[in-house]
Amino acid sequence: MIKQAIIPLAGLGTRLLPITSVFAKELLPINGKPGIEYILDECIEAGIKEIILIISNKKEIIRKYFYNDKFYQSIIKKKKDPRIIKEYKKILFYKKKIKFVYQNKPLGTGDAVLKTKKFIKNKYFLMLLPDDLIMKKNCSKDMIKIHKKHKASIMASLKVNKNNVDRWGIFSIAKTLDKDNFKISDVIEKPKTKDAPSNNAVIGRYILNKDIFNFLKNQKKGKGGEIHITDAIRKMIFEKYFFIGHKFTGKYLDCGTMNGYIKSGIEISKL
Ligand code: G1P
């Protein structure tokens, strides 16, 4: 059963500087709605009961977004505006499902995951990276279904342009399970084009076995001096853990760069 999700939000967001020097990119509106809410909605609709948000003391603004009750209550008392009441109810609904964990040093996604170790209850959990929006089809929900069938770890995947492989984790396929699912034989974090085993990229949805915490404990820093989840996954694959690459069918939007962010708003407005 997959009932918990984690969302790493403590990154510095350097790809979106200068705005991220003072603001959390995950709260930036995409077609009028903060990016993080798309991710929360996907989790909740997929049946997730508890969502762990990994923030840092520099990103307290994210906690504040969900814990601004006094402010809402006083405005609602004065204005009785149905729109504001509706927005506040939505925040209260999210608040029942979320919990905060801190990663104060930006040491990478692998380190962020390790911070949630003592809160994960079941053998498998879901992780969503907030830069990656997948619209029209709930990717997390589909991955949970595939997990039930194969009892494996799963990563969302997409074929990318060979010249851009150094933006992603790239995996190679051991065998095809069905038209959308592949058994993975290796994964490399942001390889150069000449070193990439394929152009199958990992997109930010993962179902992970909690044994990953044991691998992360000893995980050395990799590319850019960060502890990467991809490097721990690679070790697990070499230790015969079953990882599936799932070619998702929804519409992918990369909000982690300024161009992608701008395009995402336009694309969502057209859906
Ligand atoms: C992370 C992962 C990378 C993955 C990507 C998906 O990179 O490290 O393997 O392909 O997310 O968005 P980041 O976006 O944090 O640089």
Side-chain angles (χ1 to χ4, degrees):
M1 266 211 308
I2 297 176
K3 292 290 161 208
Q4 289 177 297
I6 67 171
I7 307 177
L9 298 162
L12 298 175
T14 47
R15 288 188 292 243
L16 284 185
L17 279 169
I19 191 75
T20 42
S21 68
V22 291
F23 196 67
K25 63 177 178 183
E26 298 82 5
L27 294 178
L28 288 172
I30 302 171
N31 195 39
K33 168 168 154 175
I36 184 73
E37 291 192 9
Y38 291 95
I39 301 283
L40 294 176
D41 291 347
E42 179 178 329
C43 287
I44 294 164
E45 205 200 297
I48 296 296
K49 301 289 175 224
E50 183 180 65
I51 305 164
I52 301 174
L53 304 184
I54 308 152
I55 60 168
S56 72
N57 50 17
K58 293 196 184 73
K59 293 179 93 171
E60 278 294 342
I61 193 168
I62 296 178
R63 181 200 279 273
K64 196 166 177 205
Y65 181 73
F66 296 100
Y67 279 82
N68 223 351
D69 300 74
K70 285 207 175 97
F71 169 78
Y72 277 105
Q73 284 154 10
S74 75
I75 296 264
I76 289 168
K77 213 169 158 186
K78 271 184 231 147
K79 293 200 165 171
K80 307 214 170 14
D81 178 336
R83 189 191 75 84
I84 301 174
I85 295 170
K86 198 170 154 215
E87 290 294 340
Y88 181 46
K89 279 197 180 143
K90 190 178 66 177
I91 298 279
L92 289 175
F93 174 69
Y94 288 141
K95 207 161 71 165
K96 277 195 275 180
K97 315 246 176 214
I98 60 177
K99 167 178 202 160
F100 291 89
V101 163
Y102 281 78
Q103 182 202 21
N104 286 331
K105 289 188 194 136
L107 292 177
T109 308
D111 178 65
V113 174
L114 196 51
K115 298 281 189 253
T116 67
K117 182 175 182 228
K118 62 173 189 264
F119 303 103
I120 296 298
K121 295 174 197 141
N122 297 335
K123 191 165 172 202
Y124 287 91
F125 60 97
L126 173 71
M127 172 166 80
L128 301 92
L129 302 184
D131 281 355
D132 295 336
L133 293 190
I134 301 174
M135 308 302 294
K136 282 166 71 172
K137 191 91 172 60
N138 190 319
C139 180
S140 297
K141 199 172 181 178
D142 290 347
M143 283 173 51
I144 290 172
K145 266 191 224 149
I146 298 157
H147 166 77
K148 274 191 191 144
K149 181 169 172 201
H150 293 281
K151 304 278 172 291
S153 299
I154 309 186
M155 300 190 274
S157 86
L158 185 74
K159 278 209 184 297
V160 295
N161 185 313
K162 283 201 175 65
N163 302 320
N164 293 337
V165 285
D166 63 349
R167 160 78 180 85
W168 318 100
I170 300 291
F171 67 87
S172 46
I173 294 172
K175 74 171 189 203
T176 300
L177 301 169
D178 58 56
K179 78 176 186 10
D180 295 326
N181 297 293
F182 314 97
K183 183 174 180 191
I184 295 178
S185 55
D186 196 2
V187 62
I188 305 176
E189 180 66 8
K190 304 192 172 82
K192 294 200 178 92
T193 303
K194 68 174 178 42
D195 303 324
S198 74
N199 61 338
N200 294 307
V202 175
I203 301 301
R205 301 291 181 276
Y206 304 71
I207 289 178
L208 297 168
N209 182 316
K210 75 168 169 187
D211 287 356
I212 197 152
F213 295 123
N214 298 330
F215 289 82
L216 283 169
K217 255 190 323 211
N218 305 313
Q219 186 59 55
K220 299 209 170 71
K221 289 179 182 170
K223 289 239 157 70
E226 290 188 9
I227 297 168
H228 293 286
I229 194 72
T230 314
D231 294 341
I233 290 173
R234 181 167 210 230
K235 284 202 185 131
M236 290 181 82
I237 293 169
F238 292 167
E239 297 265 331
K240 306 272 175 274
Y241 282 83
F242 183 13
F243 273 81
I244 292 175
H246 168 64
K247 196 174 107 195
F248 59 89
T249 43
K251 184 166 180 56
Y252 170 60
L253 302 168
D254 175 11
C255 308
T257 64
M258 191 49 88
N259 268 339
Y261 168 71
I262 293 165
K263 269 196 210 147
S264 301
I266 297 169
E267 290 293 332
I268 293 181
S269 74
K270 291 194 278 195
L271 293 179

